[in-house]
Amino acid sequence: MRMLSSLALAASLACAPMFAGAAPAATATAALPAPAGAPQADKQAFINDLVARMTTEEKIGQLRLISIGPEMPAKQLMQELAAGRVGGTFNSVNRAENRPLQEAAMRSRLKIPMFFAYDVVHGHRTVFPISLGLASSWDMAVVEKAARVSAIEASADSVDATFAPMVDISRDPRWGRTSEGFGEDPHLVSQCARASVRGFQGSSPANPDSVMAFVKHFALYGAVEGGRDYNTVDMSLQRMYQDYLPPYRAGLEAGAGGVMIALNSVNGQPATSNKWLLRDLLRKEWGFKGVTVSDHGAIDELLRHGVARNGREAAKLAIEAGVDMSMADSRYLEQLPSLVKSGEVPASILDEAVREVLGAKYDMGLFADPFRRIGKAADDPADVDAESRLHRAEARQIARKSLVLLENHNRTLPLKKAGTVAVIGPLADAPIDMMGSWSAGGKPKQSVTLLQGMRDALAGKGTVVTARGANITDDPRVVGYLNFLNWDNPEVVQDKRSAGDMIEEAVRVARGADTIVVAVGETRGMSHEASSRSSLGLPGSQQLLLRALKTTGKPLVVVLMNGRPLTINWEKENADAILETWYAGTEGGHAIADVLFGDENPSGKLPLTFPRSLGQLPSYYNAPRIGRPFTPGKAPNYTSQYFEEDYGPLYPFGYGLSYTTFSMSDVRLSGNKLSRGGRLTASVTVKNTGDRAGETVVQLYLQDVVASTIRPLKELKDFRKVMLAPGESRTIDFPIDEAMLKFYNAKLEYVAEPGDFNVQVGFDSAAVKEAGFRLE
Ligand code: BGC
């Protein structure tokens, strides 16, 4: 391996703190909990006994994770299972189809059960809002509920494990997988990671209605250069530890049983062959006891990364680095037998990997009952897609909380349930897009579009008229790209009319209405794996459509559907209201109508920054401080800014409006000094100054004024979502202790340095009230 031993690295750290492969000198927190399940002592004894009875071939078989479908025909798969040559599969969510596979595994010599995994990211049969939408709720009960219901549905379809939560911090929205994560902030994403794992696993991953969570993608996948998917990542250890690693760690602290390894490289070494990442950091420093799995085909990709000359080297690098299971490539199967036989890969390393796989199965409860999530054939659902299997009420409730009101001039919203509403736009009636990427077992025909939601809301009270108005894109190359995987059943179906004709029709329809609600944005495929964009505006002729609709003089309500921040400068200035809905899931159309008509008062807040332009990327609020900052009200010359446009984001992190208004008092501190081990309280009184009940999010940011290394402008440390009746006031107390002031210094020690700190409390990251204290 190219990596130095961790001992040598630790020694080199003091003089070369930025060295890419360095192991940190100090750890932030204690070792991770052992996954909840059966008693750990019994588990170890059980696994010891089993491993002692396994042949090398059987051991290698356990490391194979096979994609149902393309990778292997069902008949061959059964034979492989019966021969004990498969550890688990993914992509099959049907009890009746999975049962014979488990039965085949039970015919193997040692009767080691297989497990079934799936990408249950934001829903299973019922699709919830995409993770960005869930994070926008800033309500961890909402995030947990979505994962819990997903687990109930997935486990009822024989799924034992999910490749989720995806907790990659993303600061460059060109990256299509921004949609799949919980945003840009270490604290918020960490909270979401914990809530998701709690939801997926329940009290134990062994429960029949739980699925084991695989935190992904370890590590730093969201930091791919230029937001281009699969690109390289090069990052200082300080930034890594401070900003990017906490969410993975949080998911593991919450007890996640698995980790999926990222496809990208980390400081010159692919994550899949990164011994420092997988052994020194994950296993030794963090004490992770669960199973690791490579991402799809990633061991094979070590050849293309240029760190392995052939499959043999790739397999050796991966297993030595600590990749337990190989997903969808055959390198382990082909190469490990002779690598182990020759001693090039010590048998102990193979055994370690096997023990983790068996341990995960043990924790999933599969040794106790291999069929615990498959059940009896007599109980199989007659129709896996049956309406009765959905959780529509939960989906609607959760989706309502995920919507972010960005603009509402002259109280355009909420709309009255009367008159004629023109529902226009390429996403107004788009059932597939409503589900977002990674929609698991969700069926488009079961998702409620905006048009349907508006019709249901206005039934008997008003009229809905409609026109498409525009295609999402007018570029055949983009359409071809988006339909690549689905030539037979294309997701993006173009209206053959010209952009001009479609706009003309839409304007005609809009003129006959009282209000225009126009759904624009991106198809779900545009905010997906491998869907990096080189621009962030509304694609195609969608903005032309908006401009034309604006000329009608009718109130223009823009409903955005997208999986990343968009540069909606014109829309901000010209729309009467803007509602960010992300991809709101199965009940999206109803939930959006609930907000548009005021049955729900919007309370979502942005989990990431909306930049003004592509040129502002990367965009994130907690940026390190600099020597020549731009100061509002002062000449911009020789300050850090872009001279062609206004300074700062279009919408800051944490921003979102309500149909009511809130005021906040100055920040009161219980003292102006904090002693080590002591505690201060920062309090604000928040009042609902409007005329209807509503929720807002009170956000606490801290700033270390002077430190031994550069610290961020501010960092989110705590938040509270509060519901207030009109005129009601509430005092919110935020405890502040030493732990909240800690950061990784140049030696990667996790310390709180004495000195001054600013406390900032606000309804978003930009508009804050301040106070200060000193750490002694
Ligand atoms: C993705 C993973 C996913 C896996 C299995 C890969 O392409 O990067 O996030 O879990 O496929 O579907």
Side-chain angles (χ1 to χ4, degrees), residues 206-489:
N207 295 346
D209 67 352
S210 289
V211 291
M212 180 174 277
F214 278 62
V215 169
K216 71 186 186 187
H217 305 83
F218 192 70
L220 323 183
Y221 187 22
V224 285
E225 269 183 14
R228 184 157 54 76
D229 209 359
Y230 316 125
N231 205 358
T232 195
V233 175
D234 201 318
M235 187 186 288
S236 77
L237 287 170
Q238 274 75 19
R239 175 164 285 195
M240 211 188 272
Y241 271 73
Q242 194 63 36
D243 297 346
Y244 281 81
L245 293 176
Y248 307 107
R249 164 103 204 175
L252 300 180
E253 277 171 4
V259 165
M260 183 186 287
I261 300 156
L263 291 163
N264 52 280
S265 59
V266 172
N267 291 354
Q269 190 63 235
T272 308
S273 55
N274 201 319
K275 212 172 187 173
W276 170 75
L277 190 68
L278 303 181
R279 289 203 184 270
D280 297 345
L281 177 66
L282 181 67
R283 296 279 185 203
K284 291 199 195 107
E285 190 185 332
W286 288 4
F288 176 61
K289 300 266 190 314
V291 66
T292 60
V293 56
S294 65
D295 200 345
H296 205 283
I299 299 177
D300 206 40
E301 287 172 21
L302 293 177
L303 276 70
R304 286 191 289 276
H305 275 288
V307 296
R309 273 174 299 190
N310 48 43
R312 188 175 176 82
E313 279 189 6
K316 184 169 185 293
L317 282 172
I319 197 146
E320 283 179 349
V323 179
D324 298 329
M325 286 196 103
S326 135
M327 177 192 283
D329 67 43
S330 51
R331 297 306 183 181
Y332 274 8
L333 180 77
E334 289 161 8
Q335 306 298 339
L336 285 181
S338 72
L339 281 168
V340 173
K341 192 160 180 224
S342 67
E344 285 166 86
V345 167
S348 60
I349 287 193
L350 173 63
D351 283 2
E352 265 174 38
V354 174
R355 295 178 68 89
E356 301 304 355
V357 177
L358 298 176
K361 292 181 178 184
Y362 192 95
D363 292 333
M364 291 173 198
L366 292 172
F367 284 111
D369 178 6
F371 296 90
R372 71 196 299 120
R373 296 181 188 86
I374 296 174
K376 296 192 177 65
D379 300 331
D380 285 353
D383 172 11
V384 290
D385 299 321
E387 222 359 86
S388 58
R389 303 187 85 214
L390 300 186
H391 290 78
R392 285 196 179 272
E394 290 85 345
R396 185 165 179 165
Q397 186 55 20
I398 289 171
R400 283 169 158 214
K401 302 293 177 195
S402 71
L403 310 178
V404 187
L405 184 64
L406 298 178
E407 298 292 338
N408 194 16
H409 300 295
N410 305 316
R411 300 184 91 177
T412 303
L413 296 177
L415 304 176
K416 293 199 177 56
K417 284 188 188 162
T420 302
V421 180
V423 179
I424 289 175
L427 291 160
D429 197 21
I432 296 180
D433 299 303
M434 200 53 125
M435 298 193 302
S437 63
W438 300 102
S439 50
K443 290 284 167 289
K445 65 175 192 296
Q446 289 175 319
S447 75
V448 178
T449 67
L450 176 62
L451 183 62
Q452 187 59 47
M454 296 295 282
R455 281 184 174 144
D456 290 349
L458 277 175
K461 301 182 182 120
T463 310
V464 172
V465 290
T466 189
R468 185 168 160 99
N471 283 316
I472 283 280
T473 173
D474 303 313
D475 186 344
R477 168 199 163 114
V478 174
V479 175
Y481 185 79
L482 296 172
N483 286 336
F484 175 69
L485 288 176
N486 289 300
W487 288 120
D488 300 338
N489 188 16

Side-chain angles (χ1 to χ4, degrees), residues 29-52:
T29 31
L32 299 170
Q40 293 299 306
D42 296 354
K43 174 179 163 183
Q44 291 319 324
F46 178 86
I47 291 172
N48 287 343
D49 172 64
L50 192 50
V51 173

Side-chain angles (χ1 to χ4, degrees), residues 505-766:
E505 181 200 48
V507 169
R508 202 168 51 241
V509 167
R511 282 197 203 285
D514 303 305
T515 312
I516 307 166
V517 172
V518 54
V520 290
E522 307 174 301
T523 67
R524 69 167 186 173
M526 289 175 164
S527 283
H528 196 274
E529 181 177 350
S531 290
S532 298
R533 288 189 64 194
S534 58
S535 58
L536 292 179
L538 285 177
S541 48
Q542 295 186 81
Q543 200 188 76
L544 288 178
L545 168 67
L546 296 183
R547 287 174 188 264
L549 293 172
K550 174 79 182 167
T551 64
T552 64
K554 310 274 176 179
L556 183 64
V557 177
V558 172
V559 171
L560 290 174
M561 296 185 191
N562 45 296
R564 53 160 70 79
L566 298 176
T567 49
I568 45 168
N569 304 270
W570 183 91
E571 293 76 3
K572 177 178 168 34
E573 292 307 318
N574 293 282
D576 294 290
I578 304 179
L579 185 68
E580 174 57 79
T581 71
W582 312 112
Y583 300 111
T586 303
E587 278 290 310
H590 284 145
I592 298 170
D594 289 341
V595 165
L596 293 180
F597 289 110
D599 297 322
E600 171 79 13
N601 189 350
S603 61
K605 299 276 189 175
L606 294 178
L608 31 57
T609 304
F610 270 46
R612 289 177 194 278
S613 62
L614 193 73
Q616 282 189 335
L617 301 184
S619 51
Y620 57 105
Y621 79 94
N622 48 351
R625 285 163 66 192
I626 53 173
R628 292 188 176 191
F630 171 85
T631 311
K634 293 205 175 150
N637 306 65
Y638 295 98
T639 69
S640 186
Q641 39 86 45
Y642 299 98
F643 66 82
E644 296 155 307
E645 62 185 21
D646 286 346
Y647 180 79
L650 195 63
Y651 296 108
F653 171 79
Y655 172 86
L657 301 172
S658 163
Y659 292 154
T660 188
T661 48
F662 299 94
S663 69
M664 185 183 287
S665 69
D666 286 337
V667 183
R668 299 181 297 276
L669 277 176
S670 58
N672 55 10
K673 284 190 185 130
L674 175 65
S675 55
R676 306 264 164 187
R679 172 183 278 208
L680 281 181
T681 305
S683 307
V684 289
T685 304
V686 179
K687 185 174 182 191
N688 181 343
T689 51
D691 52 9
R692 61 172 292 171
E695 282 179 293
T696 190
V697 181
V698 188
Q699 303 162 32
L700 172 81
Y701 298 87
L702 294 178
Q703 183 200 40
D704 193 342
V705 180
V706 177
S708 60
T709 63
I710 292 168
R711 303 286 297 116
L713 291 162
K714 60 184 70 180
E715 293 170 291
L716 181 74
K717 291 290 174 179
D718 203 352
F719 57 88
R720 298 289 151 72
K721 192 157 189 181
V722 284
M723 166 65 93
L724 294 173
E728 187 185 351
S729 293
R730 185 152 336 139
T731 296
I732 312 293
D733 294 326
F734 291 109
I736 298 174
D737 61 17
E738 188 188 340
M740 290 163 79
L741 311 180
K742 288 190 172 178
F743 69 100
Y744 291 91
N745 68 13
K747 292 182 185 165
L748 277 188
E749 295 156 342
Y750 195 54
V751 292
E753 293 180 350
D756 291 336
F757 289 83
N758 281 333
V759 178
Q760 307 182 347
V761 186
F763 296 125
D764 63 53
S765 60

Side-chain angles (χ1 to χ4, degrees), residues 9-17 25 746-747:
L9 285 174
S12 70
L13 189 63
C15 46
K747 292 182 185 165

